């Protein structure tokens, strides 16, 4: 996997995980170059990590991109890199999906710029590794508000705008496989489960509106997000799946394109799990495996 050294301001050097911009610009893909030509795609949290990989691929396939996120600097750097690679500069909007008025303003801006939206990819989210018994109420609310409420504001607003315009669209929510729970990540487990079953529910409600709603559940995907996890957890992440390796952002990006392109036209209410089989055998302990569960042993059941 691709790892380069990056020095944090207040810590020892740690790997920078994920692909470089130059690598994302030339990664091989199974899709033809013009697959998404004429389509407008909004990617939340598109300035880094998985969202950045999705954005690069969509732009390379001809989509008109809109990127949003809380960090304007990240968005601009990603837009610059995509522009250099494809000649297609994404529209960037710095905002928080947790704020419903900012969500409305975002969709207004997309309408003014592009006149339509075809695909919404809800990638924005975040969490921190901690035992559930130690969550602060503020920490719990923050993760739930971002991962569940924020995602819902985006889904509902997109659907309402499509209904008003008399046209359909597709939504892809980036979630996680939560069927067996997520020790040390109970807050995001609760939120992601909510998004999964919201998606299944509204995929039926919104079918008459020609709106498809699906989820992609990544497993251990190597990206900048790995920076929040301790070294002892990172050292065993790959042992939590039978393929014994980490996935990458391109694995997720190509799954998202499958659902948004004509290949996914008869798929709704579903979840594609991209985890190397982790759902079958493994448990990831993002803060480090407790001694009670055999802390010195490889990650896995």
């Amino acid at each position: 996997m691709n790892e380069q050294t990056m020095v944090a301001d207040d810590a020892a050097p740690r790997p920078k995980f994920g692909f470089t911009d130059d690598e994302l610009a030339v990664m091989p893909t199974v899709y033809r170059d013009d697959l998404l030509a004429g389509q407008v795609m909004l990617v939340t949290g598109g300035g880094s990590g998985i969202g950045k990989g999705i954005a690069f691929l969509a732009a390379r396939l001809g989509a008109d991109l809109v990127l949003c996120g809380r960090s304007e600097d990240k968005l601009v750097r990603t837009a610059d890199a995509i522009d250099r690679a494809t000649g297609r500069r994404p529209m960037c909007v710095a905002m928080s999906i947790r704020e419903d008025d900012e969500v409305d303003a975002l969709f207004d801006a997309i309408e003014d710029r592009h006149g339509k939206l075809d695909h919404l990819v809800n990638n924005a989210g975040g969490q921190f590794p901690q035992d559930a018994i130690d969550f602060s109420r503020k920490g719990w609310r923050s993760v739930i508000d971002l991962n569940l409420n924020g995602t819902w504001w985006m889904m509902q607003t997109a659907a309402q705008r499509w209904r008003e315009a008399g046209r359909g669209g597709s939504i892809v929510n980036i979630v996680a496989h939560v069927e067996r729970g997520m020790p040390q990540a109970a807050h995001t487990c609760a939120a992601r489960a909510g998004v999964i079953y919201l998606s299944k529910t509204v995929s039926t409600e919104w079918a008459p509106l020609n709106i498809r709603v699906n989820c992609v559940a990544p497993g251990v995907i190597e990206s900048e997000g790995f920076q929040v996890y301790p070294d002892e957890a990172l050292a065993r992440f790959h042992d939590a799946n039978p393929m014994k390796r980490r996935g990458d952002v391109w694995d997720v990006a190509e799954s998202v394109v499958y659902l948004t392109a004509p290949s996914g036209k008869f798929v709704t209410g579903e979840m594609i799990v991209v985890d190397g089989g982790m759902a079958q055998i493994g448990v990831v302990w993002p803060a480090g495996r407790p001694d009670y569960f055999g802390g010195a042993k490889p990650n896995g059941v």
Side-chain angles (χ1 to χ4, degrees):
M1 309 303 289
N2 177 62
E3 299 181 8
Q4 294 185 334
T5 301
M6 179 176 71
V7 180
D9 293 337
D10 57 354
R14 293 196 66 194
K16 180 182 180 181
F17 300 97
F19 297 121
T20 66
D21 294 343
D22 289 341
E23 289 169 328
L24 289 171
V26 298
M27 285 289 292
T29 179
V30 299
Y31 298 111
R32 71 172 192 264
D33 291 345
D34 64 346
L35 182 65
L36 299 178
Q39 303 291 293
V40 180
M41 178 182 291
L42 168 58
V43 182
T44 71
S48 62
I50 290 173
K52 185 177 183 179
I54 295 168
F56 256 92
L57 180 56
R60 285 176 50 186
L61 300 181
D64 294 316
L65 273 180
V66 182
L67 307 180
C68 72
R70 287 179 291 180
S71 172
E72 185 172 10
D73 288 344
K74 285 184 179 180
L75 294 173
V76 170
R77 286 197 296 270
T78 295
D80 288 344
I82 291 174
D83 193 5
R84 288 193 301 270
T86 68
R88 309 182 64 83
R89 186 172 185 83
M91 173 184 176
C92 297
V93 180
M95 51 81 70
S96 171
I97 64 172
R98 291 184 290 188
E99 304 298 331
D100 49 8
D101 56 338
E102 295 184 22
V103 171
D104 290 336
L106 168 64
F107 280 85
D108 288 342
I110 294 171
E111 180 69 25
D112 291 342
R113 173 75 171 271
H114 293 289
K116 66 168 185 172
L117 178 68
D118 297 289
H119 310 289
L120 165 62
V121 180
N122 276 314
N123 167 76
Q127 55 276 323
F128 51 89
Q130 188 178 34
D131 291 338
I133 200 169
D134 295 322
F135 289 160
S136 69
R137 290 178 179 175
K138 180 179 179 181
W140 171 267
R141 291 189 184 102
S142 178
V143 171
I144 296 296
D145 202 23
L146 175 60
N147 294 342
L148 177 57
N149 294 339
T151 298
W152 171 241
W153 304 142
M154 296 294 293
M155 292 171 64
Q156 185 186 44
T157 304
Q160 289 172 342
R161 298 294 178 107
W162 285 326
R163 181 179 61 182
E164 292 167 6
R167 63 191 315 273
S170 72
I171 298 172
V172 179
N173 295 317
I174 307 301
V175 292
H177 191 278
V178 298
E179 185 176 292
R180 298 195 301 154
M182 298 179 68
Q184 297 174 334
H187 42 15
T188 199
C189 182
R192 306 297 191 177
V195 172
I196 291 166
Y197 285 94
L198 267 173
S199 299
K200 288 182 175 294
T201 300
V202 299
S203 71
T204 301
E205 288 190 18
W206 297 348
L209 301 174
N210 195 27
I211 297 171
R212 294 185 300 107
V213 187
N214 292 289
C215 295
V216 172
V220 176
I221 302 296
E222 188 172 282
S223 74
E224 298 98 310
F226 271 26
Q227 293 292 330
V228 305
Y229 300 114
D231 290 334
E232 59 269 24
L234 290 174
R236 293 200 299 259
F237 271 4
H238 66 283
D239 284 325
N241 69 72
M243 298 183 76
K244 297 292 184 180
R245 65 178 179 86
R246 300 162 177 167
D248 58 55
V249 299
W250 213 245
D251 296 321
V252 181
E254 293 203 312
S255 297
V256 170
V257 169
Y258 168 77
L259 290 170
T260 55
S263 49
K265 64 183 173 56
F266 198 49
V267 182
T268 194
E270 292 298 329
M271 182 171 72
I272 296 179
V273 180
V274 185
D275 72 347
M278 185 180 73
Q280 281 71 257
I281 73 160
V283 175
V284 168
W285 296 91
R289 189 169 182 167
D291 291 341
Y292 179 89
F293 293 101
K297 297 178 181 179
N299 236 2
V301 176

